[in-house]
Amino acid sequence: MSLGTKLKIGITRFLGTNCDEDVRKWLQSLSADTTYLWFEDQFDVNHYDMIVLPGGFSHGDYLRCGAMAAQTPVMKSVKEFAKKDKPILGICNGFQILCEAGLLPGALLRNKELRFKDQWVQLQVNNNQNPFAKKTEVGQTLKLPIAHGDGNYYADSETLKKLKDNNQIWLTYKDNNPNGALMDIAGITNEKHNICALMPHPERALYEWMGSCDGAFLL
Amino acid sequence: MSNKTLANEHEHEQKLKTYRLSSDEYQMMTTLLKREPHAIEWALFSALWSEHCSYKSSKMHLRKFSFRNESTPEMDGENAGVVDLGFGEKIAFKMESHNHPSFIEPVQGAATGVGGILRDIFTMGARPIMTADYLCFGEVDAPRMKDLMKGVVRGISMYGNCVGVPTVTGQTNFHARYNKNILVNALNVGYFAPGQKMALSGASGPGNLVVYVGAKTGRDGVHGASMASASFDDDSESKRPNVQIGDPFYEKLLIEACLQILDQELVVAMQDMGAAGLTSSSFEMAAKGQVGLVIDLKKVPLRDSSMTAEDILLSESQERMLLICEPKNFESIKNTFKKWNLDAVILGEVQKERKVKLQWGVETLTDIDPDLIIEKAPRYERPYQRWASPRKVEQLATPTFRPSELIQKLTKSFKLNQAHWIHNQYDQRVGARTAMACESSVAFARLDHSGRGLGLAVGCRPEVMQMDAEVGALDAVYYPAFQLALKGAETLAITDCLNFGNPQKPEIMSEFVASVEAIALASRKLNAPVISGNVSFYNETLEENIISTPATGVVAIRDSVENLISDQFQAPFESLIAVQMKWVESWTAVMAADKKVSSFKQSPGCDVPDFIKQCSQMDAEFKKLDLPISSIKAIGLGGIATTCLKMTTDAIGFDLSYDLNGNQEADLFKDSFYGFIVSTGDNEKTASFLKSHFKNLNVEIKKIGETTNQKITLSTSTQIEPNQFRTDYLKGL
C-alpha cells in the first residue's frame, strides 16, 4: 500500500513522546516522506502535507496531559498549519495536546476508574467526512487498542451539541465505554474536519499478527 | 578494663552495627588498608561489601552458571547478558529484584525496580523493548496486602507506561509465606539492531573524563543497598526514607540521550548508578577497567545543597549514569544531554594509577585501590547440605476433596485468577512490536530487522519450590521453556533472580545451592545459557523466611510472529486432546488450597529437554499439515481441570465427562510435569499426528473431552456454573 505521490508528513516530538517511532514506521510503510518536528523549533508549514501528533507522556504529563506541550514553539507552527485547512491527526497524547492547544474542543479527564487502561476496543465510525476516514464507511466497526490514563472525553453540553450537529463526532466506543467519555466519544474532528484526533492507537493495529489490521483504514 | 576503653568498645560495636559490617570484616578491612579506615571508607566498605553489591554468600555458587554456547559471547561483569540472534541482531536481558523497597513503599519500590532494570539494559546500548514482572504476594487478606498489590501494580504501570516500554508478560503468585516479605522482580529485554554498537562498563584511557549525566542527586535511597541486605524487623516502616523515588519521564529522556551519544560513538564506557549509587558505579568501572579515577564529589549536581560527601556517595537517586569519554567529545555529549533537558557534568578523570581518589574540593577523602573493595571483597562458603528431596515418595496417595469447593478456594485466594486487573494497567503494545502479550502465558515481540518473533516467559512456581527445591528450580527453567515451545519457539537463554531467605541458615543455603545446581543443569540440557542474574538474600521478616523463589526469565526464538496459536478456546464442539509426560506427579495445587505441601513421585525414563525440543518443532508441523488446531496451553498446577478452566472464554466452556477412562474425577486435578492440551477441529488427524510426532518419547496422548457452548462439565457428577466461574476468575482489585 502507498499514499501515492510522496506525501510529506511531519511528526511532532516532545520530551516524553514515546509513540513517535511507531507512527514513523507506519507512515514509512506507506512510502510517506517523514520528518520529526522537535518541540523547540517552528517549521515551514508549506513544506508539509500532513502533521501527526503521536502519543506518549509529553513533558511527563506534568501540570495536565498535553498542557505543557501545547505551549511549545512547534505548536505555534501546528496552529498555523491548521489554519491552512491541511490535515492533522492526533493520537492519544496527541489528542490531549490538540485539546490543550485549543485546536479541538473539550478536554480529556482521568479515566473513570482512575487508573491507566490497556485493552482492545470496538469503535464505531460515526462520520467519514474527514481525511482519515475516507477508507471507512459510516457504521463500520473498527478494532483498535487503547492505552491511556486520561481518555475520558468531556465537554459542556453546548459543545457536545455542536459536535453532534456539525458531524464532528468521528469515532465512538461500541458496547463498552472504557474510560467514561461523554457520548462514548473516542475520536472527534474540528468544525472544518481537517483536525482529527482519537484516543486509540491505529499504529498498533496494522497487521494480523498485531491482533487487528483496522488501523490501516485510517490512511 | 577502664571506663574509657569500655566506652570505646561500645562505640566500635555501634559503628559496626550502623555500617552492617562484622568484626571479621572490620579486621579484613584494616588488613587490606594496612591502617584504620577513614570516616568515609566505613561507608564505602559497608555499601560495597553488602550482600546486595558483593554477592559474598552466592558468588562461589554462581560460577556454576559458566556454560556458554556459540550465541552467547563472554560478557561477565557487564550490566546484562547478551545473546546473538543471528541476522546481525542481538539482545541484552536481565532480571532484578526490588523486594525490600516494594514492601516498605510499594508504588515507588516497584517503579524504581522497573527503572533500574531498564538502565541495566540501555547502559549497554540496547533499546529496551519488553518488560516482564514476577510478583509474589501474601494471602489477599493478610494485613496491608491489598494495598501492597495495588501499589506495586501502580508503580510498574506508572513507570513502564511512561518510558514507553511495553510490559508484555508476567506471573503473580500468592502464598502466606510472602505475607511479610513480598517479591517484586522485573525483567527487561533490549534490542540491538544490526550494526548498533554495544557499550561496556570498564573505564579506560588515562586523561579521559568521568562524566555524571542524568537527574540530580538527592537524599533518597541513601544506604539502600545495605538495607536490602538485612532482614526486616518490626521497624521496617521506619526505613521508608531509604526508598528511592523514580521519575519515568527523566528515564525516558535518559534513554534517548544515552542511545544517541552511544550511536555517535562519543562514549568510552558507561554504567548506571544503581545500588550504592555513585560508590558502586565509580569503583566498579575502575576495577573493571583496571585503572584509577579522580572524582570531586563537590561537582555532583544536587537537589539538596546540604548533603554530605557520604550522602552523595551512597544516594540511590534514580535516573543517573556515570560515563567515561575522551575530553574532545565532552562538548557534544553535553549538548545532546542539554537537548534532552538533562545535566552532564565533569566529575574528574581517569588516571593510570589504580586508585580511586575521592575529593571534596581540595580535601582528599579517600585514595584507595578499587580492587581492595571490589575484587578482595569477602567471599563466604556458607554451610549447606546436599539436597535429599524429603518429600519424594514411591506411591502418591490421592487426597479427598470436592472439585467445586476446590475451585472456589482457588479463585477466592486469587490463585486461579487471570490477573486481568493487573495487566490492563500495563501498556502492552507501545513500540508496535507486540504479537502476543499478557492475555497469553508467554509473550512475543516482532524483531524489527528480521521480522522473527522473540518469545519471553517468566518462571518459578512457589508451591513446587516449597515441595522440593531441586524439582522446583528445574521446573523454573523447564516450565517457561515448555510454554514457549508450545507456541513454536526454541529456547535461547535464561536470566534469573534468586530470591531467598537468610543465607546464614544452612537450610536456606541448602535450598539455594540445590536451586543453582538445578538451574545450571536445566540450562545445559536445553542449550540455553544463564547469561545474567541477580541474587536477593535476607527475604526474612522476624525470623520467618519466604519460600525459596528462584525466578527465571527465558527467551526463545520463532521464525515469524504470524499465526501464533491462542491459549484460549476459539470454538465450541471441538475435541480436546491432552499430551502428557509424567516426569513428576504431585497434588501441589490441591494441597496448597488447604495450606499443605504435596509429596511427589518422580519417574525415570522421562527426557524432559527432548520433549520440550520436540514440542517446539510441532507448531510448524501443524501448519504444514494444515491441522485445525485452535488453541494450545501447557497443563499447569491443578492439572487438566484447572487448565481447561483457564482456557475458557465468556462464550466457550468444556466437557470432560466424555471419558474418564476408569480414572477418578480427582485425577483431573493431579499435576504431571509436563503436558499440554490442544483443541482441534479434527480429532482423528490431530491425534494421529501427535502419536507419530512423539513416537520416541514416553508420553500419554488421549482425547479428554470437548469444548462446549459455555457450559462447564467436569464429570457426570460435577458441573461448574460458567458465569459465576468467569466472574470469580476475572475479578480484581
Side-chain angles (χ1 to χ4, degrees), chain A:
Chain A
M1 205 181 357
S2 152
L3 289 174
T5 50
K6 237 179 184 203
L7 217 52
K8 291 196 184 78
I9 306 181
I11 304 168
T12 56
R13 230 182 173 192
F14 304 91
L15 296 177
T17 297
N18 64 26
C19 303
D20 38 357
E21 274 293 302
D22 310 359
V23 164
R24 195 173 67 131
K25 271 196 266 179
W26 173 30
L27 300 175
Q28 286 181 343
S29 76
L30 303 172
S31 307
D33 175 3
T34 59
T35 310
Y36 281 134
L37 304 171
W38 189 243
F39 75 102
E40 286 176 309
D41 305 326
Q42 290 191 246
F43 59 88
D44 175 4
V45 293
N46 296 315
H47 185 74
Y48 297 98
D49 304 311
M50 182 189 291
I51 301 294
V52 180
L53 291 83
F57 288 69
S58 61
H59 302 275
D61 270 358
Y62 288 131
L63 196 57
R64 279 189 315 276
C65 303
M68 301 195 27
Q71 304 303 322
T72 54
V74 77
M75 286 307 291
K76 277 199 182 126
S77 301
V78 171
K79 284 177 187 168
E80 203 185 315
F81 186 85
K83 277 190 200 141
K84 294 188 173 285
D85 299 345
K86 293 210 231 177
I88 298 174
L89 178 67
I91 303 167
C92 198
N93 186 226
F95 189 173
Q96 295 161 345
I97 296 168
L98 289 170
C99 288
E100 286 286 346
L103 290 172
L104 286 175
L108 292 143
L109 310 180
R110 196 95 191 112
N111 292 349
K112 66 173 178 227
E113 286 168 30
L114 303 178
R115 26 167 102 152
F116 191 94
K117 207 157 190 184
D118 171 294
Q119 67 176 63
W120 288 96
V121 293
Q122 301 286 336
L123 300 161
Q124 180 168 300
V125 178
N126 289 281
N127 186 294
N128 64 355
Q129 297 306 305
N130 79 58
F132 305 98
K134 285 186 206 145
K135 288 188 184 166
T136 57
E137 284 171 27
V138 173
Q140 186 178 342
T141 302
L142 301 177
K143 182 190 172 191
L144 296 179
I146 56 159
H148 58 245
D150 303 75
N152 179 355
Y153 184 80
Y154 179 85
D156 57 41
S157 48
E158 201 179 321
T159 310
L160 288 173
K161 188 175 178 307
K162 250 171 88 183
L163 285 176
K164 214 175 158 193
D165 295 346
N166 294 334
N167 287 324
Q168 288 173 253
I169 301 175
W170 172 22
L171 299 163
T172 52
Y173 300 109
K174 263 183 97 172
D175 311 325
N176 187 351
N177 178 336
N179 50 30
L182 291 180
M183 297 174 74
D184 301 325
I185 287 174
I188 58 167
T189 71
N190 64 340
E191 262 185 74
K192 290 182 170 170
H193 298 99
N194 66 314
I195 308 175
C196 309
L198 73 169
M199 284 314 293
H201 288 273
E203 78 279 12
R204 300 181 189 179
L206 300 172
Y207 310 98
E208 260 327 312
W209 63 263
M210 288 181 160
S212 165
C213 311
D214 291 355
F217 281 114
L218 268 63
L219 275 173

Side-chain angles (χ1 to χ4, degrees), chain B residues 3 10-11 22 42 65 121 132 148 207 210 217 285 288 300 307 342 395 423 532 538 561 591 597 620 672 690 706:
Chain B
N3 276 340
H10 180 71
E11 198 181 309
S22 69
W42 277 94
F65 294 145
I121 300 304
L148 286 171
V210 179
T217 297
M285 289 184 94
K288 183 105 218 300
V300 173
M307 287 177 74
L342 294 168
Q395 285 302 324
H423 302 137
S532 61
Y538 298 100
V561 287
M591 301 294 277
V597 186
S672 62
L690 291 169
E706 283 178 359

Side-chain angles (χ1 to χ4, degrees), chain B residues 596-630:
Chain B
K596 290 184 201 140
V597 186
S598 176
S599 302
F600 70 98
K601 187 180 133 188
Q602 201 168 351
S603 304
C606 290
D607 190 341
V608 172
D610 195 23
F611 184 39
I612 293 174
K613 194 170 174 200
Q614 296 201 24
C615 283
S616 71
Q617 293 159 354
M618 179 173 65
D619 178 67
E621 295 291 315
F622 289 159
K623 249 144 271 161
K624 219 181 282 169
L625 298 170
D626 208 18
L627 290 173
I629 307 290
S630 58

Side-chain angles (χ1 to χ4, degrees), chain B residues 200 235 265 314 364 380 401 441 472 530 705:
Chain B
L200 299 176
D235 195 28
E265 301 190 28
L314 295 182
T364 300
Y380 295 125
F401 63 96
S441 46
V530 180

Side-chain angles (χ1 to χ4, degrees), chain B residues 154-183:
Chain B
R154 186 175 204 99
I156 295 171
S157 144
M158 166 191 101
Y159 208 100
N161 299 348
C162 183
V163 292
V165 180
T167 305
V168 290
T169 188
Q171 185 176 321
T172 311
N173 305 296
F174 296 90
H175 198 285
R177 296 263 303 272
Y178 303 108
N179 279 358
K180 290 172 187 160
N181 194 321
I182 60 169
L183 301 185

Side-chain angles (χ1 to χ4, degrees), chain B residues 114-131:
Chain B
V114 175
I117 193 65
L118 285 166
R119 282 193 296 285
D120 277 337
I121 300 304
F122 71 77
T123 190
M124 299 191 71
R127 176 169 287 279
I129 58 165
M130 296 164 111
T131 297

